[in-house]
PDB file of all heavy atoms in Angstrom:
ATOM      1  N   VAL G 872     -13.725 -11.866   2.390  1.00  0.00           N
ATOM      2  CA  VAL G 872     -13.700 -13.327   2.575  1.00  0.00           C
ATOM      3  C   VAL G 872     -12.718 -13.974   1.614  1.00  0.00           C
ATOM      4  O   VAL G 872     -12.840 -13.721   0.353  1.00  0.00           O
ATOM      5  CB  VAL G 872     -15.058 -13.935   2.387  1.00  0.00           C
ATOM      6  CG1 VAL G 872     -15.053 -15.450   2.577  1.00  0.00           C
ATOM      7  CG2 VAL G 872     -16.083 -13.335   3.334  1.00  0.00           C
ATOM      8  N   THR G 873     -11.728 -14.748   2.063  1.00  0.00           N
ATOM      9  CA  THR G 873     -10.767 -15.424   1.211  1.00  0.00           C
ATOM     10  C   THR G 873     -11.063 -16.912   1.181  1.00  0.00           C
ATOM     11  O   THR G 873     -11.212 -17.512   2.272  1.00  0.00           O
ATOM     12  CB  THR G 873      -9.339 -15.192   1.710  1.00  0.00           C
ATOM     13  OG1 THR G 873      -9.088 -13.772   1.753  1.00  0.00           O
ATOM     14  CG2 THR G 873      -8.306 -15.855   0.770  1.00  0.00           C
ATOM     15  N   VAL G 874     -11.127 -17.477  -0.054  1.00  0.00           N
ATOM     16  CA  VAL G 874     -11.494 -18.906  -0.189  1.00  0.00           C
ATOM     17  C   VAL G 874     -10.349 -19.595  -0.966  1.00  0.00           C
ATOM     18  O   VAL G 874      -9.718 -18.955  -1.811  1.00  0.00           O
ATOM     19  CB  VAL G 874     -12.856 -19.088  -0.871  1.00  0.00           C
ATOM     20  CG1 VAL G 874     -13.944 -18.428  -0.142  1.00  0.00           C
ATOM     21  CG2 VAL G 874     -12.791 -18.521  -2.341  1.00  0.00           C
ATOM     22  N   CYS G 875     -10.251 -20.881  -0.663  1.00  0.00           N
ATOM     23  CA  CYS G 875      -9.260 -21.701  -1.383  1.00  0.00           C
ATOM     24  C   CYS G 875      -9.753 -23.147  -1.334  1.00  0.00           C
ATOM     25  O   CYS G 875     -10.019 -23.673  -0.249  1.00  0.00           O
ATOM     26  CB  CYS G 875      -7.873 -21.598  -0.759  1.00  0.00           C
ATOM     27  SG  CYS G 875      -6.579 -22.547  -1.536  1.00  0.00           S
ATOM     28  N   GLY G 876      -9.852 -23.756  -2.518  1.00  0.00           N
ATOM     29  CA  GLY G 876     -10.300 -25.154  -2.491  1.00  0.00           C
ATOM     30  C   GLY G 876     -11.620 -25.401  -1.876  1.00  0.00           C
ATOM     31  O   GLY G 876     -11.907 -26.476  -1.303  1.00  0.00           O
ATOM     32  N   GLY G 877     -12.549 -24.411  -2.076  1.00  0.00           N
ATOM     33  CA  GLY G 877     -13.924 -24.668  -1.488  1.00  0.00           C
ATOM     34  C   GLY G 877     -14.159 -24.337  -0.055  1.00  0.00           C
ATOM     35  O   GLY G 877     -15.202 -24.554   0.512  1.00  0.00           O
ATOM     36  N   TYR G 878     -13.074 -23.798   0.617  1.00  0.00           N
ATOM     37  CA  TYR G 878     -13.139 -23.508   2.078  1.00  0.00           C
ATOM     38  C   TYR G 878     -12.777 -22.106   2.266  1.00  0.00           C
ATOM     39  O   TYR G 878     -11.919 -21.504   1.549  1.00  0.00           O
ATOM     40  CB  TYR G 878     -12.216 -24.470   2.874  1.00  0.00           C
ATOM     41  CG  TYR G 878     -12.652 -25.887   2.881  1.00  0.00           C
ATOM     42  CD1 TYR G 878     -12.185 -26.772   1.953  1.00  0.00           C
ATOM     43  CD2 TYR G 878     -13.547 -26.376   3.887  1.00  0.00           C
ATOM     44  CE1 TYR G 878     -12.602 -28.155   1.959  1.00  0.00           C
ATOM     45  CE2 TYR G 878     -13.963 -27.678   3.844  1.00  0.00           C
ATOM     46  CZ  TYR G 878     -13.458 -28.563   2.936  1.00  0.00           C
ATOM     47  OH  TYR G 878     -13.863 -29.871   2.910  1.00  0.00           O
ATOM     48  N   ILE G 879     -13.330 -21.487   3.297  1.00  0.00           N
ATOM     49  CA  ILE G 879     -12.972 -20.075   3.724  1.00  0.00           C
ATOM     50  C   ILE G 879     -11.794 -20.204   4.643  1.00  0.00           C
ATOM     51  O   ILE G 879     -11.832 -20.819   5.700  1.00  0.00           O
ATOM     52  CB  ILE G 879     -14.159 -19.465   4.459  1.00  0.00           C
ATOM     53  CG1 ILE G 879     -15.348 -19.266   3.480  1.00  0.00           C
ATOM     54  CG2 ILE G 879     -13.737 -18.087   5.042  1.00  0.00           C
ATOM     55  CD1 ILE G 879     -16.567 -18.656   4.090  1.00  0.00           C
ATOM     56  N   ILE G 880     -10.656 -19.601   4.206  1.00  0.00           N
ATOM     57  CA  ILE G 880      -9.480 -19.630   4.973  1.00  0.00           C
ATOM     58  C   ILE G 880      -9.253 -18.385   5.810  1.00  0.00           C
ATOM     59  O   ILE G 880      -8.459 -18.310   6.715  1.00  0.00           O
ATOM     60  CB  ILE G 880      -8.208 -19.858   4.098  1.00  0.00           C
ATOM     61  CG1 ILE G 880      -8.064 -18.814   3.029  1.00  0.00           C
ATOM     62  CG2 ILE G 880      -8.335 -21.248   3.439  1.00  0.00           C
ATOM     63  CD1 ILE G 880      -6.787 -18.903   2.262  1.00  0.00           C
ATOM     64  N   ASN G 881      -9.981 -17.339   5.465  1.00  0.00           N
ATOM     65  CA  ASN G 881      -9.930 -16.086   6.231  1.00  0.00           C
ATOM     66  C   ASN G 881     -11.208 -15.312   5.981  1.00  0.00           C
ATOM     67  O   ASN G 881     -11.591 -15.183   4.796  1.00  0.00           O
ATOM     68  CB  ASN G 881      -8.742 -15.257   5.853  1.00  0.00           C
ATOM     69  CG  ASN G 881      -8.542 -14.078   6.769  1.00  0.00           C
ATOM     70  OD1 ASN G 881      -8.812 -14.136   7.952  1.00  0.00           O
ATOM     71  ND2 ASN G 881      -8.024 -12.956   6.225  1.00  0.00           N
ATOM     72  N   ALA G 882     -11.800 -14.742   7.012  1.00  0.00           N
ATOM     73  CA  ALA G 882     -13.052 -13.974   6.806  1.00  0.00           C
ATOM     74  C   ALA G 882     -13.060 -12.843   7.864  1.00  0.00           C
ATOM     75  O   ALA G 882     -12.674 -13.034   8.994  1.00  0.00           O
ATOM     76  CB  ALA G 882     -14.261 -14.818   6.917  1.00  0.00           C
ATOM     77  N   LYS G 883     -13.557 -11.663   7.431  1.00  0.00           N
ATOM     78  CA  LYS G 883     -13.708 -10.554   8.297  1.00  0.00           C
ATOM     79  C   LYS G 883     -14.951  -9.785   7.997  1.00  0.00           C
ATOM     80  O   LYS G 883     -15.229  -9.603   6.826  1.00  0.00           O
ATOM     81  CB  LYS G 883     -12.443  -9.669   8.184  1.00  0.00           C
ATOM     82  CG  LYS G 883     -12.408  -8.529   9.178  1.00  0.00           C
ATOM     83  CD  LYS G 883     -10.995  -7.940   9.344  1.00  0.00           C
ATOM     84  CE  LYS G 883     -10.532  -7.269   8.078  1.00  0.00           C
ATOM     85  NZ  LYS G 883      -9.254  -6.601   8.286  1.00  0.00           N
ATOM     86  N   LYS G 884     -15.634  -9.431   9.059  1.00  0.00           N
ATOM     87  CA  LYS G 884     -16.815  -8.547   8.917  1.00  0.00           C
ATOM     88  C   LYS G 884     -16.607  -7.281   9.649  1.00  0.00           C
ATOM     89  O   LYS G 884     -16.108  -7.340  10.853  1.00  0.00           O
ATOM     90  CB  LYS G 884     -18.086  -9.302   9.444  1.00  0.00           C
ATOM     91  CG  LYS G 884     -19.302  -8.453   9.350  1.00  0.00           C
ATOM     92  CD  LYS G 884     -20.570  -9.331   9.790  1.00  0.00           C
ATOM     93  CE  LYS G 884     -20.493  -9.699  11.255  1.00  0.00           C
ATOM     94  NZ  LYS G 884     -21.663 -10.443  11.711  1.00  0.00           N
ATOM     95  N   MET G 885     -16.984  -6.138   9.055  1.00  0.00           N
ATOM     96  CA  MET G 885     -16.784  -4.864   9.698  1.00  0.00           C
ATOM     97  C   MET G 885     -18.163  -4.208  10.011  1.00  0.00           C
ATOM     98  O   MET G 885     -19.063  -4.297   9.244  1.00  0.00           O
ATOM     99  CB  MET G 885     -16.073  -3.916   8.759  1.00  0.00           C
ATOM    100  CG  MET G 885     -14.522  -4.093   8.808  1.00  0.00           C
ATOM    101  SD  MET G 885     -13.943  -5.716   8.136  1.00  0.00           S
ATOM    102  CE  MET G 885     -14.187  -5.569   6.387  1.00  0.00           C
ATOM    103  N   ILE G 886     -18.265  -3.659  11.214  1.00  0.00           N
ATOM    104  CA  ILE G 886     -19.433  -2.951  11.663  1.00  0.00           C
ATOM    105  C   ILE G 886     -19.050  -1.452  11.832  1.00  0.00           C
ATOM    106  O   ILE G 886     -17.979  -1.131  12.402  1.00  0.00           O
ATOM    107  CB  ILE G 886     -19.957  -3.453  12.983  1.00  0.00           C
ATOM    108  CG1 ILE G 886     -20.195  -5.006  12.885  1.00  0.00           C
ATOM    109  CG2 ILE G 886     -21.254  -2.771  13.380  1.00  0.00           C
ATOM    110  CD1 ILE G 886     -21.262  -5.416  11.874  1.00  0.00           C
ATOM    111  N   TYR G 887     -19.966  -0.547  11.353  1.00  0.00           N
ATOM    112  CA  TYR G 887     -19.719   0.893  11.427  1.00  0.00           C
ATOM    113  C   TYR G 887     -20.827   1.586  12.136  1.00  0.00           C
ATOM    114  O   TYR G 887     -21.995   1.057  12.270  1.00  0.00           O
ATOM    115  CB  TYR G 887     -19.646   1.444   9.952  1.00  0.00           C
ATOM    116  CG  TYR G 887     -18.549   0.789   9.108  1.00  0.00           C
ATOM    117  CD1 TYR G 887     -18.852  -0.392   8.401  1.00  0.00           C
ATOM    118  CD2 TYR G 887     -17.316   1.328   8.993  1.00  0.00           C
ATOM    119  CE1 TYR G 887     -17.911  -0.991   7.621  1.00  0.00           C
ATOM    120  CE2 TYR G 887     -16.342   0.713   8.213  1.00  0.00           C
ATOM    121  CZ  TYR G 887     -16.640  -0.411   7.532  1.00  0.00           C
ATOM    122  OH  TYR G 887     -15.695  -1.038   6.754  1.00  0.00           O
ATOM    123  N   ASP G 888     -20.496   2.747  12.661  1.00  0.00           N
ATOM    124  CA  ASP G 888     -21.500   3.606  13.303  1.00  0.00           C
ATOM    125  C   ASP G 888     -22.203   4.432  12.326  1.00  0.00           C
ATOM    126  O   ASP G 888     -21.979   4.329  11.082  1.00  0.00           O
ATOM    127  CB  ASP G 888     -20.930   4.344  14.474  1.00  0.00           C
ATOM    128  CG  ASP G 888     -19.917   5.434  14.075  1.00  0.00           C
ATOM    129  OD1 ASP G 888     -19.827   5.703  12.809  1.00  0.00           O
ATOM    130  OD2 ASP G 888     -19.179   5.960  14.936  1.00  0.00           O
ATOM    131  N   ASN G 889     -23.154   5.311  12.785  1.00  0.00           N
ATOM    132  CA  ASN G 889     -23.881   6.166  11.835  1.00  0.00           C
ATOM    133  C   ASN G 889     -23.092   7.216  11.108  1.00  0.00           C
ATOM    134  O   ASN G 889     -23.568   7.934  10.274  1.00  0.00           O
ATOM    135  CB  ASN G 889     -25.110   6.753  12.537  1.00  0.00           C
ATOM    136  CG  ASN G 889     -24.701   7.648  13.712  1.00  0.00           C
ATOM    137  OD1 ASN G 889     -23.521   7.850  13.989  1.00  0.00           O
ATOM    138  ND2 ASN G 889     -25.688   8.127  14.475  1.00  0.00           N
ATOM    139  N   LYS G 890     -21.818   7.381  11.575  1.00  0.00           N
ATOM    140  CA  LYS G 890     -20.884   8.248  10.866  1.00  0.00           C
ATOM    141  C   LYS G 890     -19.886   7.428  10.014  1.00  0.00           C
ATOM    142  O   LYS G 890     -18.877   8.052   9.580  1.00  0.00           O
ATOM    143  CB  LYS G 890     -20.212   9.144  11.881  1.00  0.00           C
ATOM    144  CG  LYS G 890     -21.098  10.128  12.564  1.00  0.00           C
ATOM    145  CD  LYS G 890     -20.369  11.076  13.462  1.00  0.00           C
ATOM    146  CE  LYS G 890     -21.365  12.059  14.172  1.00  0.00           C
ATOM    147  NZ  LYS G 890     -20.626  12.972  15.098  1.00  0.00           N
ATOM    148  N   TYR G 891     -20.128   6.177   9.798  1.00  0.00           N
ATOM    149  CA  TYR G 891     -19.334   5.331   9.020  1.00  0.00           C
ATOM    150  C   TYR G 891     -17.945   5.112   9.514  1.00  0.00           C
ATOM    151  O   TYR G 891     -16.962   4.903   8.789  1.00  0.00           O
ATOM    152  CB  TYR G 891     -19.309   5.834   7.557  1.00  0.00           C
ATOM    153  CG  TYR G 891     -20.684   6.084   6.925  1.00  0.00           C
ATOM    154  CD1 TYR G 891     -20.983   7.393   6.568  1.00  0.00           C
ATOM    155  CD2 TYR G 891     -21.615   5.086   6.851  1.00  0.00           C
ATOM    156  CE1 TYR G 891     -22.307   7.704   6.116  1.00  0.00           C
ATOM    157  CE2 TYR G 891     -22.898   5.379   6.341  1.00  0.00           C
ATOM    158  CZ  TYR G 891     -23.223   6.688   6.009  1.00  0.00           C
ATOM    159  OH  TYR G 891     -24.473   6.988   5.536  1.00  0.00           O
ATOM    160  N   ARG G 892     -17.821   5.185  10.820  1.00  0.00           N
ATOM    161  CA  ARG G 892     -16.504   4.858  11.524  1.00  0.00           C
ATOM    162  C   ARG G 892     -16.523   3.429  11.954  1.00  0.00           C
ATOM    163  O   ARG G 892     -17.549   2.897  12.409  1.00  0.00           O
ATOM    164  CB  ARG G 892     -16.310   5.759  12.695  1.00  0.00           C
ATOM    165  CG  ARG G 892     -16.244   7.239  12.377  1.00  0.00           C
ATOM    166  CD  ARG G 892     -16.125   8.063  13.633  1.00  0.00           C
ATOM    167  NE  ARG G 892     -17.262   7.957  14.483  1.00  0.00           N
ATOM    168  CZ  ARG G 892     -17.660   8.834  15.408  1.00  0.00           C
ATOM    169  NH1 ARG G 892     -16.927   9.967  15.539  1.00  0.00           N
ATOM    170  NH2 ARG G 892     -18.658   8.631  16.198  1.00  0.00           N
ATOM    171  N   LEU G 893     -15.445   2.738  11.722  1.00  0.00           N
ATOM    172  CA  LEU G 893     -15.329   1.280  12.108  1.00  0.00           C
ATOM    173  C   LEU G 893     -15.384   1.176  13.638  1.00  0.00           C
ATOM    174  O   LEU G 893     -14.603   1.786  14.377  1.00  0.00           O
ATOM    175  CB  LEU G 893     -13.985   0.729  11.638  1.00  0.00           C
ATOM    176  CG  LEU G 893     -13.738  -0.707  11.911  1.00  0.00           C
ATOM    177  CD1 LEU G 893     -14.751  -1.605  11.218  1.00  0.00           C
ATOM    178  CD2 LEU G 893     -12.302  -1.097  11.488  1.00  0.00           C
ATOM    179  N   ILE G 894     -16.363   0.383  14.158  1.00  0.00           N
ATOM    180  CA  ILE G 894     -16.514   0.197  15.596  1.00  0.00           C
ATOM    181  C   ILE G 894     -16.303  -1.232  16.058  1.00  0.00           C
ATOM    182  O   ILE G 894     -16.031  -1.475  17.227  1.00  0.00           O
ATOM    183  CB  ILE G 894     -17.893   0.664  16.064  1.00  0.00           C
ATOM    184  CG1 ILE G 894     -18.997  -0.076  15.376  1.00  0.00           C
ATOM    185  CG2 ILE G 894     -18.002   2.197  15.886  1.00  0.00           C
ATOM    186  CD1 ILE G 894     -20.409   0.240  15.945  1.00  0.00           C
ATOM    187  N   ALA G 895     -16.328  -2.230  15.121  1.00  0.00           N
ATOM    188  CA  ALA G 895     -16.134  -3.608  15.527  1.00  0.00           C
ATOM    189  C   ALA G 895     -15.783  -4.454  14.285  1.00  0.00           C
ATOM    190  O   ALA G 895     -16.165  -4.157  13.144  1.00  0.00           O
ATOM    191  CB  ALA G 895     -17.379  -4.204  16.208  1.00  0.00           C
ATOM    192  N   THR G 896     -14.989  -5.519  14.559  1.00  0.00           N
ATOM    193  CA  THR G 896     -14.749  -6.524  13.511  1.00  0.00           C
ATOM    194  C   THR G 896     -15.009  -7.919  14.041  1.00  0.00           C
ATOM    195  O   THR G 896     -14.967  -8.155  15.277  1.00  0.00           O
ATOM    196  CB  THR G 896     -13.279  -6.456  13.033  1.00  0.00           C
ATOM    197  OG1 THR G 896     -12.443  -6.682  14.182  1.00  0.00           O
ATOM    198  CG2 THR G 896     -12.912  -5.044  12.494  1.00  0.00           C
ATOM    199  N   TYR G 897     -15.358  -8.842  13.121  1.00  0.00           N
ATOM    200  CA  TYR G 897     -15.656 -10.224  13.473  1.00  0.00           C
ATOM    201  C   TYR G 897     -14.967 -11.112  12.496  1.00  0.00           C
ATOM    202  O   TYR G 897     -14.587 -10.707  11.396  1.00  0.00           O
ATOM    203  CB  TYR G 897     -17.198 -10.466  13.377  1.00  0.00           C
ATOM    204  CG  TYR G 897     -17.987  -9.731  14.418  1.00  0.00           C
ATOM    205  CD1 TYR G 897     -18.328  -8.392  14.275  1.00  0.00           C
ATOM    206  CD2 TYR G 897     -18.473 -10.429  15.513  1.00  0.00           C
ATOM    207  CE1 TYR G 897     -19.117  -7.708  15.170  1.00  0.00           C
ATOM    208  CE2 TYR G 897     -19.291  -9.761  16.454  1.00  0.00           C
ATOM    209  CZ  TYR G 897     -19.539  -8.420  16.332  1.00  0.00           C
ATOM    210  OH  TYR G 897     -20.316  -7.765  17.239  1.00  0.00           O
ATOM    211  N   THR G 898     -14.777 -12.378  12.916  1.00  0.00           N
ATOM    212  CA  THR G 898     -14.182 -13.399  12.074  1.00  0.00           C
ATOM    213  C   THR G 898     -15.067 -14.606  12.085  1.00  0.00           C
ATOM    214  O   THR G 898     -16.116 -14.673  12.826  1.00  0.00           O
ATOM    215  CB  THR G 898     -12.738 -13.711  12.424  1.00  0.00           C
ATOM    216  OG1 THR G 898     -12.160 -14.573  11.467  1.00  0.00           O
ATOM    217  CG2 THR G 898     -12.646 -14.464  13.806  1.00  0.00           C
ATOM    218  N   SER G 899     -14.703 -15.667  11.304  1.00  0.00           N
ATOM    219  CA  SER G 899     -15.528 -16.903  11.286  1.00  0.00           C
ATOM    220  C   SER G 899     -14.699 -18.076  11.841  1.00  0.00           C
ATOM    221  O   SER G 899     -13.497 -17.929  12.046  1.00  0.00           O
ATOM    222  CB  SER G 899     -15.936 -17.181   9.781  1.00  0.00           C
ATOM    223  OG  SER G 899     -14.753 -17.508   9.036  1.00  0.00           O
ATOM    224  N   SER G 900     -15.403 -19.157  12.010  1.00  0.00           N
ATOM    225  CA  SER G 900     -14.717 -20.410  12.468  1.00  0.00           C
ATOM    226  C   SER G 900     -13.793 -20.870  11.330  1.00  0.00           C
ATOM    227  O   SER G 900     -14.047 -20.703  10.140  1.00  0.00           O
ATOM    228  CB  SER G 900     -15.739 -21.445  12.763  1.00  0.00           C
ATOM    229  OG  SER G 900     -16.696 -21.045  13.745  1.00  0.00           O
ATOM    230  N   PRO G 901     -12.636 -21.398  11.691  1.00  0.00           N
ATOM    231  CA  PRO G 901     -11.655 -21.886  10.704  1.00  0.00           C
ATOM    232  C   PRO G 901     -12.204 -23.063   9.938  1.00  0.00           C
ATOM    233  O   PRO G 901     -12.959 -23.923  10.474  1.00  0.00           O
ATOM    234  CB  PRO G 901     -10.430 -22.257  11.522  1.00  0.00           C
ATOM    235  CG  PRO G 901     -10.982 -22.546  12.911  1.00  0.00           C
ATOM    236  CD  PRO G 901     -12.137 -21.625  13.087  1.00  0.00           C
ATOM    237  N   GLY G 902     -11.888 -23.118   8.626  1.00  0.00           N
ATOM    238  CA  GLY G 902     -12.265 -24.272   7.774  1.00  0.00           C
ATOM    239  C   GLY G 902     -13.696 -24.291   7.387  1.00  0.00           C
ATOM    240  O   GLY G 902     -14.253 -25.359   7.034  1.00  0.00           O
ATOM    241  N   LEU G 903     -14.401 -23.189   7.446  1.00  0.00           N
ATOM    242  CA  LEU G 903     -15.794 -23.089   7.062  1.00  0.00           C
ATOM    243  C   LEU G 903     -15.994 -23.404   5.562  1.00  0.00           C
ATOM    244  O   LEU G 903     -15.272 -22.780   4.721  1.00  0.00           O
ATOM    245  CB  LEU G 903     -16.353 -21.775   7.407  1.00  0.00           C
ATOM    246  CG  LEU G 903     -17.879 -21.530   7.215  1.00  0.00           C
ATOM    247  CD1 LEU G 903     -18.657 -22.447   8.205  1.00  0.00           C
ATOM    248  CD2 LEU G 903     -18.206 -20.079   7.473  1.00  0.00           C
ATOM    249  N   SER G 904     -16.866 -24.264   5.200  1.00  0.00           N
ATOM    250  CA  SER G 904     -17.125 -24.572   3.813  1.00  0.00           C
ATOM    251  C   SER G 904     -17.879 -23.416   3.125  1.00  0.00           C
ATOM    252  O   SER G 904     -18.732 -22.819   3.752  1.00  0.00           O
ATOM    253  CB  SER G 904     -17.956 -25.869   3.659  1.00  0.00           C
ATOM    254  OG  SER G 904     -17.232 -26.950   4.163  1.00  0.00           O
ATOM    255  N   VAL G 905     -17.594 -23.220   1.856  1.00  0.00           N
ATOM    256  CA  VAL G 905     -18.275 -22.203   1.085  1.00  0.00           C
ATOM    257  C   VAL G 905     -19.729 -22.694   0.794  1.00  0.00           C
ATOM    258  O   VAL G 905     -19.837 -23.804   0.212  1.00  0.00           O
ATOM    259  CB  VAL G 905     -17.498 -21.872  -0.204  1.00  0.00           C
ATOM    260  CG1 VAL G 905     -18.300 -20.850  -1.041  1.00  0.00           C
ATOM    261  CG2 VAL G 905     -16.151 -21.326   0.092  1.00  0.00           C
ATOM    262  N   ASP G 906     -20.669 -21.892   1.150  1.00  0.00           N
ATOM    263  CA  ASP G 906     -22.095 -22.251   0.932  1.00  0.00           C
ATOM    264  C   ASP G 906     -22.624 -21.404  -0.169  1.00  0.00           C
ATOM    265  O   ASP G 906     -22.268 -20.223  -0.290  1.00  0.00           O
ATOM    266  CB  ASP G 906     -22.848 -22.044   2.249  1.00  0.00           C
ATOM    267  CG  ASP G 906     -24.238 -22.655   2.150  1.00  0.00           C
ATOM    268  OD1 ASP G 906     -25.069 -22.035   1.472  1.00  0.00           O
ATOM    269  OD2 ASP G 906     -24.451 -23.728   2.748  1.00  0.00           O
TER     270      ASP G 906
END
Side-chain angles (χ1 to χ4, degrees):
V872 181
T873 303
V874 301
C875 181
Y878 292 92
I879 294 177
I880 60 174
N881 188 35
K883 186 163 64 172
K884 178 176 67 177
M885 279 65 73
I886 305 297
Y887 302 86
D888 64 12
N889 58 5
K890 295 183 178 179
Y891 310 116
R892 297 176 301 202
L893 181 64
I894 58 174
T896 61
Y897 293 78
T898 189
S899 67
S900 302
L903 185 66
S904 298
V905 176
D906 192 284

